[in-house]
Amino acid sequence: MQNGIAEVLTGRRVAAVSGGGRLDLTLDGPVTVRVAHEFRVDAPSEVEHYYPGLTFRPTGPLLGLVGRAVAGARVTMAGGLEVAFDGGVTLSVPPHAVVAPWSVLTPGGAVCDGLAGGEVVWSDGPATEGRTEG
């Protein structure tokens, strides 16, 4: 199931990026990648670290994701999330011991949640219909 997240996200385009106390990366479909803790965006010419708990506004390479397609995604062995985009940009969300740092949502609910301690939980409900096991 580690690679099932690629089947959910790959090929979707970023429609919007919003900040505040968390990052919401809205993809077509609609699917939302929600990040509730620190994360990093690696672009070919720069790396930016973000701390949503401190409230932030999207800048630089994060705003540059709008219109890009997801080239690949994976849940790391430790329970983090990595999403690669066209153009060589990568969003990396590390696991956290206390906070649930990330989730992938559809209008029907959560597809996958990265929980505190690195645990990852997949939904068995309607949000995952049409997704094959990976």
Side-chain angles (χ1 to χ4, degrees):
M1 205 51 176
Q2 290 291 101
N3 295 320
I5 199 72
E7 295 173 21
V8 173
L9 298 178
T10 300
R12 297 183 188 275
R13 291 204 175 274
V14 178
V17 176
S18 62
R22 67 178 186 226
L23 167 68
D24 277 347
L25 193 64
T26 305
L27 309 176
D28 59 11
V31 173
T32 299
V33 176
R34 180 165 288 162
V35 179
H37 199 58
E38 68 181 89
F39 64 96
R40 184 180 77 230
V41 177
D42 294 297
S45 62
E46 63 185 307
V47 176
E48 287 207 32
H49 294 268
Y50 295 89
Y51 303 92
L54 301 177
T55 303
F56 79 105
R57 288 189 358 216
T59 59
L62 193 55
L63 284 176
L65 293 177
V66 175
R68 292 184 190 261
V70 175
R74 74 182 190 105
V75 175
T76 67
M77 292 299 291
L81 177 66
E82 293 180 354
V83 182
F85 299 89
D86 291 342
V89 179
T90 303
L91 170 76
S92 299
V93 185
H96 194 277
V98 179
V99 175
W102 62 270
S103 59
V104 176
L105 311 156
T106 67
V111 172
C112 186
D113 290 300
L115 302 179
E119 183 180 357
V120 176
V121 176
W122 285 88
S123 170
D124 291 328
T128 59
E129 285 180 13
R131 181 179 56 79
T132 57
E133 299 295 316

